[in-house]
Amino acid sequence: MTRYLSRKLLIYILTFFLAVTIDWLIPRLMPGDPINVMISRLGPRNPEEVKLLRDYYLRLFALDVPMWQQYINFWKSVLQGDLGRSTLYFPRPVMDIIKAAVPYDVFLLLPAILISWFAGNNFGALAARRRWLDNTVLPIGYILTATPYMWLALLLAWALGIVAGWFPIAGAYSFELRPHFSWLFIKDLLWHWFLPFLSLFMVMFGGWAIGMRNMIIYELEADYSRYLETLGAPQSLIRRYAFRNAVLPQVTGLALQLGTIVAGAVATEVVFAYPGIGNLIVSAIQNQDYFLIQGCFLFIILGVLLANLFIDVAYVIVDPRTRLGMAGEVA
Amino acid sequence: MTLQVENLTLYYQTLRGDARALEDATFKMADGEIMGVAGESGCGKTTLGHGIVLLKPPMKFVRGRVVLDGEELPIWDMERMREYRFRKISIIPQYAMNALNPIRKIGTMIGEVVRSRGIDYGAILPELKRRLDLVGLSHDVLKMYPIELSGGMKQRVVLVLSTLLNPSVLIADEITSALDVSTQKAVMEMLVEFRDRGFVKSIMVITHDISILYQVADSIMVMYAGQLSEKGPTEVIIHRPRHPYTKMLIGSLPKVGVRYAETRLSGIPGSPPVLLDPPPGCRFQDRCPVAFEKCRDVPPFLEIEPGHFVACWREY
Amino acid sequence: MGLKARSEFLYFAWRNKKLRVGLAIILFFALMAIFGPFLAKYPPNEYVEVAAFPPSREHWFGTTIFGQDVFSQFVHGLRATFIVGLIGGTIGTLLGILIGFTAGYRGGMVDEILNMITNIVLIIPTLAVLIIIAAYLTVRGILTESIFIGLTAWPWAARAIRAQTFSLRVREYVDMARISGMKSWRIIFGEIAPNMMSYLLLVYILQFGGAVLNAAALDFIGLGPTDTVSLGLMMNYALLWAALPLKIWWWFVPPGAAIMAIVGALYVTNVGLDEVFNPKLREL
């Protein structure tokens, strides 16, 4: 188990290292000078003022030292949680902006991922045992998982938001409200949350249901299932064993799907103007706010790494083979 | 008689039509008999073994009767047959090495299976442990996962589990094919020991390796392309075979005790007929050196001397 | 593949309903992508009509808020979709094959390192990397987009192919080739690859679908090609220019529906092909 987890940990540390390096490179490779953009936005009146501002920003962004020093400085500030300042929301620190956005991502993604995973698995397992259910679940599942996230989001917003008028289609809460702890606000929050959640949930659900359905059929054909049948074991026991075995690849599948889920979350947040990191990174790009792009990228990687770690621990719990230090995992 | 099989006919459903894997098998197994079933791959021996225990698609029941201890087995009925499996008839499958749920401790799994059949695991545990001792396994295996055991150990666990409820008939399907020669002998001796101690009444040993049967089997039944060719006491089949196919099978062994590979028999020209549409009559006729007109009809499986059955028109 | 094996393959392929339906849908859209632009009466971005005109005889899919013909945009977008799928899918598959085969065949240290790299790249979300690359390029064409999508899509394919190669390289005929002194690359492409053709085809189909979806996401958040129309871009404009509150549904429904149909058909084809290749999965 230690070998399994430490190997994974090494990969995560290397991934993080790579991500921070990419992150450091971004503003240095990007076209256009972020400082020029920012200065032009503030609209200084004469060359002296421009120079003054430029020096100030150079110091602020630490661009006036050699490259290797910049790199080390960057690591220092990343580890201290200092990601620079946004030019779009100047002078707010990037860290603050992201901190404000993260709760919305957690609030949106965690339920969508977990509920779709559990529901999809159970539904897929159920589909595998009844032909009529299988014949309906399978096509619906394939349609759902082939649906682009933003299109389903658009359809739901149009049908349930505009035409039916049941749900709001933008923001995390109503304009006239300020975040505070009250029943009114929570209700409003959930009201706005529902459509983005539903569109993410539906697409993921299709994928899990199909995955489980296929896995469980495969497991029901496995040797251990057959042997149980020759021992006259009841179907309930055979299905229980098959389910437990079929869940394992679904757990690793969750780790593999995280990339797609991130993409889906970005698109969905854009459709519903939901104030998470996905929305943030898109507006950062549109406004060439490189420090904000950096910060968002880093946080996306961090989130994915955390999720991976969590999944690994879950996997060790469900698959005894990893505990015994024998290769049983697929990821 | 422990087991009586009459006209048992089982087909395999394929997209191209039914493959006639087993045609009109009729034979008996006596109390305490260890019967070897031998033949090339595709001869129907595995279909016979599995069909009696677990007959499910794509395997299809066509006709026939299987009578166990005087009671007819509803082998065509997956549900009703459930009651007989494990208690009355059991199998050590060819895939014994993969037969245990990989993510359950062996003891837990046995407990769950046994309880699912309405048997108190606590009450049967002492006997389970005694039998583990008998096959040389420590009681610790009950606390282990299958991945912690070697292939041979897993097979012995399956042997113990399959026979735990003292079934009348045990079917051992190719249990030696993955083992080396010394282990093969030990496994076969365990089977004999289990029979001698009365854990099982009769055993059907399915194998492509006649030499393994010579050591332990009381009788040998030879099959070819879905038909029974010959059945008789081991000595008789080895030294005085009557069916031309058996003769070639035995003759292809340089001497008894040497295994032959599961490939096409050297010295017998041709290959077994396609079972989708086999020629009428004896299915060996195309490769048989002594075939004649009569072989266009199916030869009956006749007892030519006590306990010795042959299906060949030349022998009546 | 021998003549008999090939006819058998075609026999089962034709009998498979999933394969027939999937291929028919793909073919339909492919034909539309090829010939549609010739049928379209207007250039995709020209303002030709009154704004936000619902579907009619003159404008089959209606017009955008700017008065552009949605059908013209749609068929041109389809073209872009197929180009991205073909190029992105091909690059992703080829890279996956290259890295997967090398790792799986060489084993040892080479495998160790390649596998490590694959695992690292696998964790980093593709879209996040694409966003950064796209933001770096101010002028983006459909070709560059396809290439970058392909360059980031290989990890899972590499891993799957590596596993397959592992299981194949211990086979007898590979041993024979090795003993007879054949060069590694000749063993890989002469002995191992042909035995994996079916598997590689399945990988390619999934890479194709993945590239299409990735491009749609990228285009939708405004990082797609700057010089042409695409289905994702249509939805992007529809959202930006208030197609939702203005109820111009004909603007954003066709592009998404087409992507869904194409990708869905690819998945179904994949399942069908899998059934044809693996006799065990064939329904009786």
Side-chain angles (χ1 to χ4, degrees), chain B residues 208-225:
Chain B
H208 62 274
D209 185 358
I210 288 197
S211 62
I212 216 74
L213 297 176
Y214 185 63
Q215 301 159 3
V216 297
D218 301 310
S219 63
I220 292 177
M221 184 160 83
V222 176
M223 296 179 66
Y224 182 82

Side-chain angles (χ1 to χ4, degrees), chain A residues 7 10-12 14-15 26 29-31 142-143 146-148 150-151 158 162 256 263 267 271 285 297 301 304 308, chain C residues 112 116 120 122-125 127 131-132 136 216-217 220 223 235 244 247 249 252-253 256-257 259-260 264 267 271:
Chain A
R7 206 185 150 77
L10 175 67
I11 289 174
Y12 298 155
L14 285 175
T15 309
I26 298 167
L29 290 178
M30 290 231 175
Y142 276 113
I143 289 172
T147 306
M150 69 301 234
W151 189 60
W158 174 59
I162 301 291
L256 291 177
V271 171
I285 285 167
F297 180 75
I301 303 282
V304 170
N308 265 293
Chain C
E112 203 60 35
M116 187 68 98
I120 289 171
L122 201 60
I123 295 172
I124 300 178
L127 190 82
I131 284 178
I132 283 168
Y136 170 56
F220 178 71
L223 292 172
M235 289 189 271
L244 282 177
K247 300 187 185 176
W249 55 266
F252 60 82
V253 169
I259 293 174
M260 184 193 78
Y267 289 167
V271 177

Side-chain angles (χ1 to χ4, degrees), chain C residues 110-166:
Chain C
V110 177
D111 173 45
E112 203 60 35
I113 291 167
L114 285 178
N115 196 27
M116 187 68 98
I117 294 172
T118 309
N119 278 331
I120 289 171
V121 182
L122 201 60
I123 295 172
I124 300 178
T126 316
L127 190 82
V129 179
L130 285 174
I131 284 178
I132 283 168
I133 295 171
Y136 170 56
L137 301 164
T138 34
V139 181
R140 300 177 295 262
I142 193 90
L143 198 69
T144 30
E145 181 181 40
S146 313
I147 291 171
F148 280 112
I149 284 176
L151 286 178
T152 50
W154 58 269
W156 72 262
R159 217 166 71 168
I161 291 166
R162 167 181 173 265
Q164 289 280 318
T165 313
F166 256 136

Side-chain angles (χ1 to χ4, degrees), chain A residues 63-131:
Chain A
L63 292 173
D64 55 349
V65 292
M67 275 291 183
W68 61 270
Q69 188 120 39
Q70 285 183 33
Y71 186 62
I72 292 175
N73 286 348
F74 185 70
W75 263 104
K76 273 189 201 152
S77 45
V78 164
L79 293 177
Q80 284 163 9
D82 174 14
L83 297 173
R85 275 164 206 277
S86 160
T87 48
L88 174 61
Y89 303 101
F90 194 80
R92 280 182 72 191
V94 166
M95 197 65 177
D96 284 4
I97 301 172
I98 291 177
K99 263 192 204 153
V102 165
Y104 290 107
D105 286 298
V106 175
F107 181 46
L108 182 61
L109 282 174
L110 214 57
I113 293 172
L114 291 180
I115 298 175
S116 70
W117 192 82
F118 279 105
N121 279 337
N122 284 302
F123 212 70
L126 200 68
R129 63 198 296 184
R130 290 192 218 293
R131 189 156 266 271

